[in-house]
Each structure stands twice: as C-alpha cells, then as structure tokens.
Amino acid sequence: DEDCLQAKGRREATIFGALSMTAHFAGAVFAAATFFGLGFAGLTTRNCGSFCEASDALDQHVCIDDCFNATIKDQPESLRLYIRVVLGFWAPFCELL
C-alpha cells in the first residue's frame, strides 16, 4: 500500500479488490447454478424427522434410516446422471479455473 500512496494514479488495491469480488461472485453464480440443476434434474426431498415423529414407529432411528434409504432409492435416473456429470466433469473444470 505504501507504493500506492507514493505514486499518484496507481490504484492496486482497487484492482485487487475488483478481482477478488469477481472471483467470489463467479463462485456464487456457479454454486447456485449447480444447486438449481439438482432441482431441474428431479431431486425429491422428504423431511424424515417430521415423518417419523408423526408416525407410530417404535424405533425412531430405524424409521429415519428407512426413510432416508427410501428417499435415495426414489430419486430419478436423471438425477443420478446429473450428479455423475457434476462430480466427473463440472467440479474438475471449476478446479482448473
């Protein structure tokens, strides 16, 4: 910063701040696009805790485990393909940026 104060017209801090802001904004946009893609690929969710509390199950832990397993098995094939593409291509691509 001292060199910026000595030389008139140099704004290194502004440039670095703008680059940092751009990098964070791009990361947020890519993350949002990735999570929106889960919905478009057909992700279905359940609140297993509330479902098991409302049911007459004797063992809540077994009920929640069964609910989670059923939720995973009920996901469409398009979601499985989307996750493979994200983990196999999109995530490595973003690491290279």
Side-chain angles (χ1 to χ4, degrees):
D1 287 334
E2 291 81 17
D3 60 339
C4 289
L5 296 174
Q6 291 175 357
K8 300 287 183 193
R10 293 181 68 187
R11 302 284 184 220
E12 291 178 12
T14 303
I15 293 170
F16 290 137
L19 290 174
S20 176
M21 179 197 68
T22 303
H24 284 91
F25 180 74
V29 168
F30 285 143
T34 301
F35 283 108
F36 280 133
L38 288 172
F40 290 126
L43 177 67
T44 56
T45 59
R46 279 185 215 147
N47 187 343
C48 291
S50 295
F51 173 76
C52 290
E53 286 177 7
S55 72
D56 294 333
L58 296 176
D59 190 1
Q60 294 291 320
H61 297 292
V62 172
C63 178
I64 290 174
D65 287 341
D66 291 342
C67 179
F68 280 143
N69 289 332
T71 302
I72 291 169
K73 289 178 185 175
D74 291 343
Q75 298 302 324
E77 189 60 35
S78 61
L79 180 67
R80 297 174 202 281
L81 177 64
Y82 176 76
I83 291 173
R84 286 186 189 121
V85 168
V86 167
L87 292 177
F89 298 106
W90 181 245
F93 173 75
C94 289
E95 286 293 323
L96 293 174
L97 293 178

